[in-house]
Amino acid sequence: MSFKEKVILITGASSGIGESVSQVFSKEGGNVVLVGRNEEKLWKVAEKCESYGSKTLVITADLTKDEDLKKIIQNTLKDFGKIHVLVNNAGIAGMESIISETAMQMFDKMIATNLRPAVYLTHLCVPYLIETKGNIINIGSIAACAPLFCENFSYSTSKAALDNFTKCIAFELAPKGVRANTVNPGPVKTNFMDAMNIDKNSQEDLWQVLIKGSALGKAIDPEEIAALVIFLASDKAKSITGVSYVIDNGVLLKGFMKETDN
């Protein structure tokens, strides 16, 4: 499953799933473009990737800004000249009631971060992916499949839209030899809660709720998501497109809302 000399563009690469995806592609010989907001963390990831012999490019960017999105493509082409795989991984989580006075602010924030950058970056990448017969992998969430919590409409809606966007572009781009798929994880053990302004004790309580709500009774390691991503990007998945892959420890199987409310 070699990616020798192939160029993989990964957003949200500074930690968590993005970091694991970057390292796995590097181990398989890929050259990785690491995109994120935290330059210090990105360079630490780059150092790990380069230890496997990978060439790296670090790009600090705010994905809610169109000029930054254009910069990502320009810099990638300047350094590597081509793009083989786009992994739209960057995203945020947040909770807000539909009846809250700030409901629309939260909704706009989710769409602006979780959906629009993936759509625009895909739009910018597609001509180069057509040249390489490459593929697109969008990192979604099982929240696209079911409402996991009350007051989670904004996040769930953004991820459901990402799911359907993937299917639409997969259908359109298939005749051009470009594949697109979504990976929808359940609870992955990363630091994503830090951005939700939740204190450490509350974070631990929430993790226990998430683990209790899974059939397998555990959290998912980011490396597991990375393994699925690299499979979908490889020739071993050359007949797979327009598919949403759930990897959730059986959260949807168990019935999260019912179990955790008891």
Side-chain angles (χ1 to χ4, degrees):
M1 202 156 54
S2 173
F3 286 84
K4 186 175 177 59
E5 298 306 318
K6 291 190 175 181
V7 179
I8 300 93
L9 198 168
I10 305 154
T11 66
S14 62
S15 63
I17 292 172
E19 178 180 1
S20 292
V21 168
S22 302
Q23 290 189 55
V24 168
F25 274 112
S26 296
K27 290 177 183 178
E28 294 295 331
N31 299 320
V32 292
V33 180
L34 308 171
V35 180
R37 289 178 295 180
N38 190 314
E39 185 173 7
E40 182 180 355
K41 288 184 177 180
L42 285 173
W43 280 113
K44 289 180 179 178
V45 176
E47 186 177 353
K48 294 177 184 177
C49 292
E50 289 171 358
S51 71
Y52 302 116
S54 173
K55 297 177 184 176
T56 66
L57 172 63
V58 168
I59 302 176
T60 55
D62 180 346
L63 299 186
T64 66
K65 296 180 179 179
D66 288 358
E67 290 306 312
D68 280 16
L69 294 172
K70 294 174 184 177
K71 178 183 73 173
I72 292 167
I73 303 303
Q74 292 166 355
N75 290 0
T76 299
L77 295 174
K78 181 180 178 181
D79 270 43
F80 293 119
K82 58 185 67 177
I83 304 170
H84 296 86
V85 182
L86 169 62
V87 182
N88 285 308
N89 168 68
I92 57 172
M95 309 280 282
E96 195 72 70
S97 168
I98 188 62
I99 62 175
S100 166
E101 291 184 359
T102 56
M104 292 314 299
Q105 287 93 317
M106 178 62 77
F107 179 76
D108 289 344
K109 182 178 180 180
M110 289 295 141
I111 297 300
T113 307
N114 293 350
L115 180 62
R116 192 180 187 280
V119 173
Y120 196 10
L121 199 55
T122 299
H123 164 69
L124 295 171
C125 274
V126 160
Y128 309 103
L129 293 172
I130 290 173
E131 288 181 6
T132 60
K133 305 299 182 186
N135 64 85
I136 302 153
I137 299 169
N138 293 321
I139 306 300
S141 166
I142 56 169
C145 309
L148 303 180
F149 295 99
C150 290
E151 304 185 355
N152 200 31
F153 79 95
S154 295
Y155 179 75
S156 293
T157 300
S158 71
K159 292 301 187 179
L162 184 65
D163 230 9
N164 208 43
F165 167 69
T166 307
K167 291 179 174 64
C168 290
I169 60 172
F171 185 52
E172 179 180 353
L173 297 176
K176 302 181 185 301
V178 176
R179 299 184 295 111
N181 294 288
T182 307
V183 173
N184 285 332
V188 182
K189 196 64 175 176
T190 68
N191 61 352
F192 78 94
M193 290 186 193
D194 290 345
M196 297 173 66
N197 296 319
I198 302 174
D199 64 71
K200 294 299 182 181
N201 288 336
S202 297
Q203 286 188 28
E204 188 55 39
D205 290 343
L206 181 53
W207 273 117
Q208 293 308 311
V209 170
L210 294 170
I211 290 169
K212 180 183 176 184
S214 71
L216 294 177
K218 65 181 183 69
I220 303 164
D221 291 326
E223 292 77 13
E224 297 177 70
I225 309 300
L228 180 53
V229 168
I230 198 168
F231 165 72
L232 290 172
S234 75
D235 288 342
K236 291 185 177 182
K238 63 184 179 182
S239 297
I240 300 174
T241 195
V243 178
S244 300
Y245 275 80
V246 169
I247 173 169
D248 72 341
N249 279 328
V251 170
L252 295 177
L253 181 68
K254 186 172 181 180
F256 183 85
M257 289 293 290
K258 179 180 177 182
E259 293 294 334
T260 55
D261 284 348
N262 288 341

